[in-house]
């Protein structure tokens, strides 16, 4: 069907906004008249034109009576940009095809209702599953006000993320590592534990040409982060948050360290729980308040277990390499005490299986 072809194009256009629109959704739009595309656009960056208005800005002829294919319900409220429904009516579009419903309470059916009230035919849920896939992060964030958390790890066929000597470079192939760099560009935040910082001294940056490095979030209950580590040394260039708990404000040495970290560009975030450790649920609320809509969790086994236990993980991306490390002391992706019996295990649903050279990427969701 021609209609599906145009919506498929809108989906591909929407993907071009990855890494630039957060916390807004990815949206693409195509305008068709007499079976000819006369305009197309997408939401390119936060604060810039929405997809529909971008498409209208590129019209090659008058759009009266044309069809509009858009991956997400058009907005009907004022934000950084005016309502897209106004532009659709002004251009006298005859028929609108919508992919996903917008769960934002400011829209949530009101955009479609407005168009119909102004005499425009609207068909919904065209290629809905594919359109929904674009905005798992946005849908979760806009309804819960908390970040969508993706736990990512690379492991061997025998489930190891490092050898018994704690060496882990490299488990997966270069193509898989490039895919991870793309994920770092896509998600607004990246989170790791202090154990990873102390063991690996990572940068946690994107490293893609033209890419965006995510906001780095380090869970460090007792402020053990070294002042000379890579993350602290680059905090003025890449936004960095250190989440702490149990820091005694009467401790002059700790207070002095906090001031030094702040002077280096590090933001200290208090997120203490009852057990004198970072409360991950509280941390998600605080990060959500800052507009951080999605987080790539690249923790070690300890933080990963805490994240699963706190029920903050929405998706798991497990890269499996065709290698065997063995070793009783070799590290696993999720450690901690674990569950007592199988029926207590956390359950995720398999969403996708991808082959990347000889590696396999398994994606699971709640």
């Amino acid at each position: 069907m021609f209609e599906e072809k145009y919506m498929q194009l809108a989906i591909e256009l929407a993907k071009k906004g990855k890494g630039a629109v957060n916390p807004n959704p990815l949206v693409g739009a195509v305008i068709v008249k007499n079976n000819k595309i006369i305009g197309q656009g997408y939401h390119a960056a936060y604060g810039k034109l929405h997809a529909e208005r971008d498409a209208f800005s590129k019209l090659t002829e008058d759009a009266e009576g044309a069809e509009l294919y858009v991956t997400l319900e058009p907005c009907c409220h004022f934000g950084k940009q005016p309502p897209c429904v106004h532009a659709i009516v002004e251009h006298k579009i005859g028929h609108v095809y919508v992919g996903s419903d917008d769960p934002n309470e400011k829209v949530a059916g009101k955009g479609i209702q407005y168009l119909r009230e102004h005499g425009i035919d609207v068909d919904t849920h065209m290629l809905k599953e594919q359109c929904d896939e674009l905005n798992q992060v946005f849908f979760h964030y806009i309804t819960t006000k908390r970040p969508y958390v993706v736990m990512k790890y690379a492991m061997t066929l025998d489930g190891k993320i490092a050898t018994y000597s704690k060496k882990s470079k490299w488990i997966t192939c270069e193509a898989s590592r490039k895919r991870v760099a793309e994920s770092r560009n896509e998600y607004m935040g990246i989170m790791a534990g202090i154990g990873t910082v102390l063991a690996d001294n990572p940068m946690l940056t994107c490293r893609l040409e033209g890419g965006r490095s995510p906001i780095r979030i380090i869970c460090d209950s007792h402020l053990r982060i070294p002042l000379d580590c890579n993350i602290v040394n680059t905090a003025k260039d890449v936004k960095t948050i250190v989440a702490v708990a149990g820091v005694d404000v009467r401790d002059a040495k700790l207070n002095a360290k906090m001031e030094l970290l702040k002077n280096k560009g590090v933001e200290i975030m208090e997120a203490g729980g009852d057990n004198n450790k970072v409360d991950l649920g509280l941390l998600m609320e605080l990060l959500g308040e800052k507009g951080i809509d999605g987080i790539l969790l690249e923790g070690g086994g300890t933080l990963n277990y805490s994240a699963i236990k706190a029920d903050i993980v929405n998706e798991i991306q497990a890269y499996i390499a065709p290698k065997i490390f063995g070793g009783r002391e070799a590290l696993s992706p999720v450690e901690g005490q674990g569950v007592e019996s199988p029926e207590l295990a956390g359950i995720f649903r398999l969403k996708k299986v991808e082959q990347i050279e000889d590696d396999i990427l398994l994606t699971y969701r709640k």
Side-chain angles (χ1 to χ4, degrees), residues 242-310:
V242 174
V244 299
V247 176
D248 189 346
V249 295
R250 298 166 298 180
D251 189 319
K253 191 173 181 180
L254 276 178
N255 277 316
K257 184 175 184 179
M258 280 196 285
E259 286 304 311
L260 288 171
L261 287 168
K262 290 175 184 177
N263 289 337
K264 285 176 172 283
V266 175
E267 178 182 350
I268 307 296
M269 181 175 285
E270 295 276 354
D274 295 335
N275 57 358
N276 217 25
K277 293 183 179 180
V278 168
D279 181 328
L280 292 177
L282 173 60
L283 180 59
M284 291 306 105
E285 291 179 14
L286 296 174
L287 295 173
E289 290 172 1
K290 285 185 167 290
I292 298 175
D293 63 345
I295 292 173
L296 188 64
L297 172 58
E298 293 196 21
T302 300
L303 181 57
N304 285 349
Y305 174 69
S306 296
I308 292 290
K309 191 175 179 182

Side-chain angles (χ1 to χ4, degrees), residues 189-200:
I190 185 170
M191 188 162 74
I194 184 59
T196 297
V197 175
L198 294 174
D200 302 334

Side-chain angles (χ1 to χ4, degrees), residues 163-350:
T163 66
Y164 71 89
S165 61
K166 310 299 185 286
K167 294 178 181 178
S168 60
K169 294 184 179 178
W170 295 102
I171 292 175
T172 54
C173 66
E174 186 175 347
S176 290
R177 299 198 296 275
K178 182 176 183 295
R179 181 68 173 271
V180 172
E182 291 170 353
S183 293
R184 289 184 177 185
N185 173 68
E186 181 178 350
Y187 294 100
M188 200 168 181
I190 185 170
M191 188 162 74
I194 184 59
T196 297
V197 175
L198 294 174
D200 302 334
N201 194 21
M203 289 286 288
L204 300 180
T205 50
C206 175
R207 299 178 188 173
L208 278 182
E209 186 176 349
R212 173 197 65 174
S213 287
I215 297 169
R216 299 177 301 195
I217 304 146
I218 308 302
C219 294
D220 182 12
S221 295
H222 306 298
L223 204 64
R224 293 189 291 151
I225 192 166
L227 291 170
D228 61 349
C229 70
N230 286 330
I231 284 174
V232 172
N233 285 337
T234 57
K236 287 188 176 179
D237 299 316
V238 181
K239 186 171 177 58
T240 302
I241 297 170
V242 174
V244 299
V247 176
D248 189 346
V249 295
R250 298 166 298 180
D251 189 319
K253 191 173 181 180
L254 276 178
N255 277 316
K257 184 175 184 179
M258 280 196 285
E259 286 304 311
L260 288 171
L261 287 168
K262 290 175 184 177
N263 289 337
K264 285 176 172 283
V266 175
E267 178 182 350
I268 307 296
M269 181 175 285
E270 295 276 354
D274 295 335
N275 57 358
N276 217 25
K277 293 183 179 180
V278 168
D279 181 328
L280 292 177
L282 173 60
L283 180 59
M284 291 306 105
E285 291 179 14
L286 296 174
L287 295 173
E289 290 172 1
K290 285 185 167 290
I292 298 175
D293 63 345
I295 292 173
L296 188 64
L297 172 58
E298 293 196 21
T302 300
L303 181 57
N304 285 349
Y305 174 69
S306 296
I308 292 290
K309 191 175 179 182
D311 196 26
I312 67 166
V313 178
N314 304 103
E315 180 175 314
I316 294 176
Q317 294 179 1
Y319 290 81
I320 303 176
K323 299 175 182 178
I324 300 289
F325 281 177
R328 186 176 301 165
E329 303 301 321
L331 302 180
S332 299
V334 182
E335 297 178 352
Q337 183 179 13
V339 298
E340 183 180 0
S341 57
E343 66 270 17
L344 300 176
I347 303 292
F348 289 79
R349 295 176 292 105
L350 180 63

Side-chain angles (χ1 to χ4, degrees), residues 15 104 122 180 210 229 250 252 292 299 354 366:
K15 293 176 183 178
N104 185 347
V122 182
V180 172
C229 70
R250 298 166 298 180
I292 298 175
E354 301 171 73
K366 273 289 195 179

